[in-house]
Amino acid sequence: MSKKIKKIGVLTSGGDAPGMNAAIRGVVRTAISNDVDVYGIHWGYQGLMEGKIEQMNARDVSGFGSLGGTKLGSARSPEFKTEEGIKKAIEYLKAFEIEGLVVIGGDGSLRGAMDLHNRGIKVVGIPASIDNDIAHTDFSIGSDTALNTILDALDKIRDTASAHYRGFVLEVMGNKNGYLALTSGTAGGAELIIVPSTKIDKDKIIHQIKSAFLRKKSSFIAVCAEGASTPEQNISDLIVSYIKEAGFECRKTVLGHVQRGGKPTGRDRILGNAFGHAAVIQLIKGNSGIMVGDVGNNIECTPIPKVCEDTKNIKLPKEVLDVIDDLMI
Ligand code: F6P
């Protein structure tokens, strides 16, 4: 039996996501409850390379559950992708005698975790990204809050769109993934949803817009995933031009970073605490190079290389996916 781990570290990396603080809370409290010392690493891998490391106690994470952003801070660190950068990070982990690390973040952060695992550091990943684009977990931390933030905005835009008999294009985040566009468009009753895999058929879309207004709709809302655009073609602008060509006034709203912040929903808080707990238990068991995920409401562990290789499928009940077109009439 391997020697029980005595000290672990926790960091948040990449884009912040609501519920990251709940995950930090889960990690810190589970570690302390199991007699493991826990160190918070500030500003992600960048802070690890700079030794921004501090011991945390149970009271340090009081009230964390309800906080958006990440109290540990986060960063996207190009330096950590270099051999030199990884060496610096490992030196600090050794200096603080940190034997295991919990990495809370998206796919880029998980790849970084794997680099450390391959050099002998025990690492467990927690999926956190509003994009919900990480394979082998039904949900990543933050995606539910972002969905609800978008819905709040969409409902407000609907008021104005209806009042003015207008079309609106709402561009939402999601990186290359269409989860936020598909779920918010479905839940918000959008008349058109464009995800990265949507084949743009101009005639069909113009017919859809014209017939919506002929059917006495007072507004037409298109939700477009940012990832549907290419460097050559901004899809939101294209849809705006179609709505205008169909004869209606149109405005575009790019929601941007408001989607990343705010109080986490209950679901993201529960996920954060549960993932934080599970990650520490895995380190205590001596496991490494894995990500904890929510698969069918169970916590499952998947090797990080498999997580990074596989494509995330958008999880909506099949019944909903089958009837989206019927709902848009
Ligand atoms: O991955 C989260 C995300 O918000 C994406 O939806 C978006 O494309 C990207 O990060 C924006 O990154 P940044 O905050 O670095 O501009």
Side-chain angles (χ1 to χ4, degrees), residues 167-171 190-194 220-224 239 243:
F168 259 91
V169 173
L170 182 63
E171 186 181 295
E191 279 69 28
L192 178 68
I193 301 172
I194 306 285
F220 186 97
I221 296 185
V223 176
C224 281
I239 304 298
I243 294 176

Side-chain angles (χ1 to χ4, degrees), residues 123-140:
V123 192
V124 174
I126 292 181
S129 165
I130 63 161
D131 303 334
N132 205 16
D133 58 351
I134 303 165
H136 297 284
T137 184
D138 294 346
F139 298 100
S140 54

Side-chain angles (χ1 to χ4, degrees), residues 13-33:
S13 160
D16 61 306
M20 277 182 159
N21 284 317
I24 297 169
R25 175 180 185 272
V27 169
V28 169
R29 297 237 169 129
T30 306
I32 293 168
S33 294

Side-chain angles (χ1 to χ4, degrees), residues 30-308:
T30 306
I32 293 168
S33 294
N34 286 278
D35 298 320
V36 176
D37 289 343
V38 58
Y39 287 73
I41 296 156
H42 295 262
W43 313 117
Y45 292 120
Q46 191 59 41
L48 178 55
M49 290 181 301
E50 294 169 17
K52 294 193 165 42
I53 303 172
E54 258 176 349
Q55 187 164 7
M56 296 180 84
N57 65 50
R59 293 286 76 72
D60 287 334
V61 291
S62 295
F64 264 39
S66 62
L67 303 176
T70 159
K71 294 293 274 181
L72 282 178
S74 192
R76 301 192 196 273
S77 168
E79 194 192 344
F80 185 70
K81 294 191 180 123
T82 65
E83 204 47 53
E84 193 56 27
I86 295 177
K87 254 173 74 187
K88 272 198 222 167
I90 291 177
E91 272 163 25
Y92 272 111
L93 288 171
K94 296 223 157 114
F96 278 80
E97 297 176 333
I98 294 173
E99 303 153 277
L101 188 63
V102 178
V103 171
I104 305 168
D107 55 353
S109 313
L110 293 171
R111 282 174 213 277
M114 209 49 212
D115 289 337
L116 290 172
H117 165 85
N118 289 337
R119 286 162 181 81
I121 306 292
K122 289 206 179 304
V123 192
V124 174
I126 292 181
S129 165
I130 63 161
D131 303 334
N132 205 16
D133 58 351
I134 303 165
H136 297 284
T137 184
D138 294 346
F139 298 100
S140 54
I141 293 173
S143 54
D144 186 59
T145 307
L147 165 60
N148 283 287
T149 301
I150 297 170
L151 282 175
D152 186 48
L154 196 153
D155 293 345
K156 287 175 175 148
I157 280 172
R158 177 74 74 188
D159 291 345
T160 301
S162 301
H164 291 271
Y165 213 69
R166 273 182 193 160
F168 259 91
V169 173
L170 182 63
E171 186 181 295
V172 301
M173 280 186 167
N175 201 2
K176 292 287 158 217
N177 182 281
Y179 174 83
L180 288 175
L182 186 64
T183 52
S184 64
T186 304
E191 279 69 28
L192 178 68
I193 301 172
I194 306 285
V195 296
S197 59
T198 306
K199 301 265 170 297
I200 303 293
D201 179 337
K202 179 177 175 185
D203 292 341
K204 189 175 158 208
I205 293 175
I206 292 207
H207 171 75
Q208 242 174 297
I209 302 162
K210 282 186 173 163
S211 77
F213 283 106
L214 282 176
R215 277 180 282 112
K216 307 229 178 308
K217 282 208 162 214
S218 57
S219 56
F220 186 97
I221 296 185
V223 176
C224 281
E226 63 174 0
S229 293
T230 61
E232 297 74 41
Q233 174 81 81
N234 183 301
I235 294 295
S236 308
D237 287 345
L238 187 70
I239 304 298
V240 170
S241 76
Y242 290 173
I243 294 176
K244 287 184 175 168
E245 200 175 318
F248 300 95
E249 233 191 294
C250 184
R251 299 284 189 273
K252 164 172 148 172
T253 301
V254 179
L255 270 190
H257 287 79
V258 293
Q259 294 162 98
R260 280 250 291 273
K263 241 181 196 316
T265 57
R267 179 195 271 275
D268 279 331
R269 296 185 203 191
I270 290 170
L271 213 55
N273 280 291
F275 282 168
H277 178 267
V280 174
I281 298 299
Q282 289 304 318
L283 283 176
I284 291 172
K285 285 182 176 166
N287 294 330
S288 176
I290 52 172
M291 181 195 82
V292 295
D294 170 11
V295 181
N297 234 355
N298 290 308
I299 301 274
E300 285 187 10
C301 299
T302 308
I304 292 174
K306 182 143 183 59
V307 173
C308 296

